[in-house]
């Protein structure tokens, strides 16, 4: 984007949208911010992923505090998931620098469609609690590994992986799943951003501009989540993901640039 004012304005608007979605659905917002950074701000897939990961940090911090204040975070689960997620993020950021942009685009689209289908099929219940056993603990760590790889590779917080898994596999309440997911995103996003910064593949200033705006948007997003029926939440989340997948598919098909 040649006009600096339009570029920075676009970053702020993208952050606001991503922040509302972050708070409402317990995601980092990257699943929506990455397509918008590509379509509106003109970034390529790799730059958009790295920028989004920076933006997730402040938005996830504020969002998780809001969920914690309402008692909707499982701290034990968050700690175990974070152990796997931090390790997975390091793997994901390394893959980000090695996988061609063409493969990165189509893998990201496949991830979005798979998560959207899962959210449509699973109807979460509120007020559910999960008993912590050895197998559940190991499952949390394994979930963290998958979440971390997705976070580093695609520039998302990993909430699109964690929230459906916590609801469908572990039987958590949708609100607890969202709050726990946001808390886990903090260490994964920090570690991933540090790795990208060392490799000089991220514009930290652009990421912070998006992130500050996302932080502002995350507060009303959490308020929306607390009053939204769980089934409606899942359906709206799936619709948003499918819209993003269509936009990315059109962009990928039109692309004539290099694949790396």
């Amino acid at each position: 984007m040649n006009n600096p004012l339009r570029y920075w304005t676009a970053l702020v608007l993208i952050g606001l949208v991503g922040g509302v979605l972050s708070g409402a659905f317990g995601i980092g917002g990257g699943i929506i911010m990455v397509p918008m950074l590509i379509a509106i701000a003109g970034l390529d897939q790799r730059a958009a992923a790295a920028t989004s990961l920076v933006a997730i940090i402040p938005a996830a911090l504020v969002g998780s505090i809001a969920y914690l204040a309402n008692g909707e975070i499982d701290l034990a689960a968050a700690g175990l998931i974070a152990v796997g997620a931090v390790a997975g993020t390091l793997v994901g950021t390394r893959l980000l620098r090695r996988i061609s942009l063409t493969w990165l685009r189509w893998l990201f689209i496949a991830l979005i469609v798979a998560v959207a289908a899962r959210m449509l099929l699973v109807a979460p219940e509120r007020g559910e609690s999960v008993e912590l056993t050895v197998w559940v603990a190991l499952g949390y760590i394994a979930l963290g590994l998958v979440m971390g790889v997705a976070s580093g590779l695609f520039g998302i917080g990993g909430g699109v992986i964690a929230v459906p898994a916590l609801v469908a596999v572990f039987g958590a309440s949708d609100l607890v799943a969202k709050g726990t997911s946001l808390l886990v995103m903090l260490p994964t996003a920090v570690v991933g951003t540090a790795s990208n910064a060392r490799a000089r593949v991220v514009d930290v200033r652009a990421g912070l501009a998006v992130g500050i705006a996302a932080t502002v948007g995350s507060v009303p997003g959490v308020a929306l989540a607390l009053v939204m029926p769980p089934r409606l939440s899942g359906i709206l989340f799936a619709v948003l993901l499918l819209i993003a997948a269509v936009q990315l598919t059109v962009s990928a098909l039109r692309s004539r640039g290099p694949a790396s």
Side-chain angles (χ1 to χ4, degrees):
M1 189 175 291
N2 296 325
N3 188 318
L5 179 59
R6 289 182 62 188
Y7 174 71
W8 291 101
T9 301
L11 294 181
V12 171
L13 291 175
I14 290 168
L16 286 171
V17 173
V20 171
L21 299 177
S22 172
F25 298 113
I27 59 176
I31 202 81
I32 299 298
M33 289 192 291
V34 169
M36 292 178 71
L37 286 166
I38 293 171
I40 300 174
L43 302 183
D44 63 32
Q45 180 78 41
R46 186 174 289 116
T51 301
S52 172
L53 205 56
V54 178
I56 285 168
I57 298 171
L61 175 61
V62 172
S64 60
I65 289 173
Y67 274 100
L68 184 62
N70 286 279
E72 300 292 357
I73 290 182
D74 186 333
L75 293 175
L80 290 166
I81 296 169
V83 170
V86 169
T89 300
L90 294 174
V91 175
T93 52
R94 286 181 179 273
L95 290 174
L96 175 65
R97 301 191 289 271
R98 289 167 171 76
I99 296 179
S100 74
L101 289 177
T102 298
W103 275 102
L104 205 55
R105 290 188 194 106
W106 290 111
L107 286 172
F108 191 58
I109 291 167
L111 172 67
I112 292 176
V113 173
V115 172
R118 191 60 177 165
M119 293 302 289
L120 286 173
L121 293 173
V122 176
E125 298 291 338
R126 293 197 173 158
E128 297 295 318
S129 60
V130 182
E131 182 182 354
L132 185 60
T133 66
V134 173
W135 290 110
V136 169
L138 291 174
Y140 282 149
I141 295 172
L143 171 59
L145 282 169
V146 176
M147 180 181 177
V149 171
S151 176
L153 183 57
F154 299 120
I156 62 177
V160 293
I161 305 292
V163 173
L166 286 169
V167 171
V169 178
F170 296 94
S173 157
D174 71 310
L175 290 178
V176 170
K178 293 173 183 178
T180 302
S181 170
L182 280 175
L183 184 58
V184 175
M185 284 177 205
L186 286 172
T188 60
V190 169
V191 170
T193 295
S195 178
N196 286 333
R198 284 195 299 270
R200 299 182 180 180
V201 295
V202 60
D203 183 344
V204 176
R205 290 191 309 160
L208 289 176
V210 178
I212 292 171
T215 302
V216 174
S218 67
V219 176
V222 173
L224 179 62
L226 293 173
V227 299
M228 192 173 9
R231 186 57 182 156
L232 176 61
S233 174
I235 292 172
L236 291 178
F237 190 20
V239 169
L240 284 170
L241 295 178
L242 291 174
I243 291 172
V246 169
Q247 188 277 322
L248 280 173
T249 300
V250 172
S251 176
L253 291 174
R254 288 178 176 174
S255 175
R256 294 294 183 269
S260 61

